[in-house]
């Protein structure tokens, strides 16, 4: 006996009235499903895990140097604006500059690696992948911090900025209240989450990458969230200018911000995104 056709069988297929070209367009748009995006990001992570150490160090060093453009852009804008509340909305527009260079230039930034490299481990957990992940994180973070310290040294010794700009930078950055370690950690969580969101969104951005990066990093700046690499460029400048002890910079900013970024990027976003994909895949299998 032939079973009666189920009227719901075609609910997940394009309408029969569509032309072949329209059906292809529908399928292309469906390709941005969470499972497809997850697989794109996971494959990017697999590639990063096996990159040789010299390549990671050089790319991470370039990223650390380039991300310092955010600090310089903010400084140049601040010097030209009055000391009013609305001015912050304008000079913080300089914050995304370094991220645009780094992310669109495909350089290795630590907070991006927290999500892309975690997905391969979450999908197929092995000790070998865990070792590769730690190697990646260690190389990239070290190189990023070396890069920002190089630029901070050049700024502190007035090689890449003028004397007037140096005085203004010290005045501006000295007014920034360094939070206690626990507060820096909690402010690092949303920064890590938003940076991971950028890595997740970009495969579907299709020509809007510039605006995705600009918007989400601008939110990090507006919220005063702690990004371990960008924030380190500020505290490194103060340290090298003699206005902050190295121990204070490490314990009150660098280490807590690092922990917060990992929690927000690898923990909250990466694992939650992976969990969503697993749930979607289970639903497809059951269907």
């Amino acid at each position: 006996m032939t079973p009666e056709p189920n009227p719901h069988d075609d609910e997940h297929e394009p309408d029969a009235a569509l032309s072949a070209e329209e059906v292809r367009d529908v399928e292309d748009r469906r390709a941005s499903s969470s499972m497809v995006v997850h697989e794109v990001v996971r494959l990017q992570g697999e590639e990063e895990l096996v990159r040789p150490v010299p390549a990671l160090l050089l790319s991470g060093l370039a990223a650390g140097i380039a991300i310092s453009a955010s600090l310089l852009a903010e400084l140049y804008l601040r010097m030209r604006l009055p000391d009013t509340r609305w001015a912050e909305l304008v000079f913080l527009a300089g914050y995304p500059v370094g991220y645009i260079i780094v992310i669109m230039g495909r350089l290795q930034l630590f907070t991006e690696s927290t999500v892309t490299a975690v997905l391969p481990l979450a999908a197929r957990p092995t000790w070998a992948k865990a070792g590769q992940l730690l190697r990646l994180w260690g190389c990239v973070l070290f190189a990023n911090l070396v890069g920002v310290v190089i630029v901070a040294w050049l700024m502190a010794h007035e090689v890449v900025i003028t004397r007037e700009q140096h005085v203004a930078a010290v005045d501006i950055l000295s007014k920034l209240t360094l939070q206690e370690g626990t507060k820096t950690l909690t402010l690092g969580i949303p920064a890590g989450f938003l940076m991971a969101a950028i890595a997740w969104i970009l495969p579907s951005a299709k020509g809007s990458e510039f605006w995705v990066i600009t918007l989400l990093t601008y939110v990090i700046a507006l919220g005063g969230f702690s990004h371990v690499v960008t924030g380190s460029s500020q505290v490194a400048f103060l340290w090298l200018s003699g206005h902050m002890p190295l121990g204070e910079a490490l314990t009150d900013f660098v280490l807590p911000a690092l922990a917060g970024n990992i929690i927000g990027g690898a923990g909250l976003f990466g694992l939650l995104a992976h969990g969503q994909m697993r749930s979607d895949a289970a639903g497809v299998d059951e269907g």
Side-chain angles (χ1 to χ4, degrees):
M1 188 176 190
T2 305
E4 294 185 7
N6 188 336
H8 299 291
D9 285 347
D10 297 329
E11 285 183 351
H12 299 290
E13 298 297 328
D15 194 294
L18 296 178
S19 66
E21 183 177 352
E22 290 169 330
V23 169
R24 284 195 298 270
D25 188 41
V26 170
E27 294 298 337
D28 287 342
R29 293 175 185 272
R30 288 176 64 182
S32 295
S33 69
S34 61
M35 286 188 288
V36 172
V37 173
H38 176 279
E39 191 62 11
V40 170
V41 177
R42 185 189 69 80
L43 291 174
Q44 290 175 349
E46 293 281 7
E47 293 174 2
E48 300 298 340
L49 288 177
V50 297
R51 289 190 73 183
V53 169
L56 292 174
L57 292 174
L58 290 173
S59 181
L61 179 64
I65 293 172
I67 205 71
S68 299
S70 292
L71 174 59
L72 291 169
E74 278 193 62
L75 171 63
Y76 299 149
L77 288 171
R78 286 190 190 202
M79 291 179 63
R80 289 163 173 78
L81 291 170
D83 189 13
T84 58
R85 286 185 61 85
W86 62 261
E88 186 176 19
L89 298 175
V90 180
F91 67 66
L92 287 181
Y95 188 82
V97 172
Y99 291 96
I100 292 169
I101 298 172
V102 169
I103 298 174
M104 297 192 73
R106 303 288 294 175
L107 300 176
Q108 203 85 46
L109 185 65
F110 176 76
T111 43
E112 276 196 295
S113 302
T114 55
V115 62
T116 56
V118 162
L119 291 186
L121 178 63
R124 300 181 183 88
T126 65
W127 287 112
K129 284 196 182 298
Q132 289 177 325
L133 177 63
L134 293 177
R135 179 186 70 103
L136 171 67
W137 280 4
C139 289
V140 172
L141 179 63
F142 172 76
N144 285 170
L145 294 181
V146 170
V148 299
V149 169
I150 289 173
V151 177
W153 186 91
L154 294 173
M155 291 177 63
H157 290 78
E158 300 174 12
V159 177
V160 295
I161 60 176
T162 65
R163 176 62 182 169
E164 180 186 3
Q165 290 170 337
H166 180 273
V167 172
V170 170
D171 180 61
I172 290 167
L173 295 177
S174 295
K175 292 177 181 177
L176 298 177
T177 304
L178 197 61
Q179 307 285 348
E180 293 183 358
T182 52
K183 186 62 177 178
T184 302
L185 188 150
T186 57
L187 289 174
I189 294 173
F193 188 92
L194 289 170
M195 288 304 302
I198 292 175
W200 188 262
I201 294 170
L202 285 183
S204 302
K206 297 179 180 179
S208 300
E209 293 89 348
F210 174 87
W211 298 110
V212 170
I213 298 166
T214 299
L215 176 61
L216 293 185
T217 54
Y218 185 60
V219 171
I220 293 175
L222 281 178
F225 301 137
S226 305
H227 187 280
V228 63
V229 181
T230 313
S232 292
S233 66
Q234 298 177 350
V235 297
F237 172 77
L238 291 175
W239 164 51
L240 292 168
S241 298
H243 294 273
M244 179 181 292
L246 178 59
E248 182 182 356
L250 291 173
T251 58
D252 284 349
F253 183 80
V254 177
L255 296 178
L258 170 62
N261 290 169
I262 291 176
I263 293 170
L268 289 181
F269 196 99
L271 296 182
L272 286 175
H274 178 70
Q276 170 196 298
M277 186 282 301
R278 292 288 298 271
S279 298
D280 287 343
V284 170
D285 292 340
E286 291 174 3

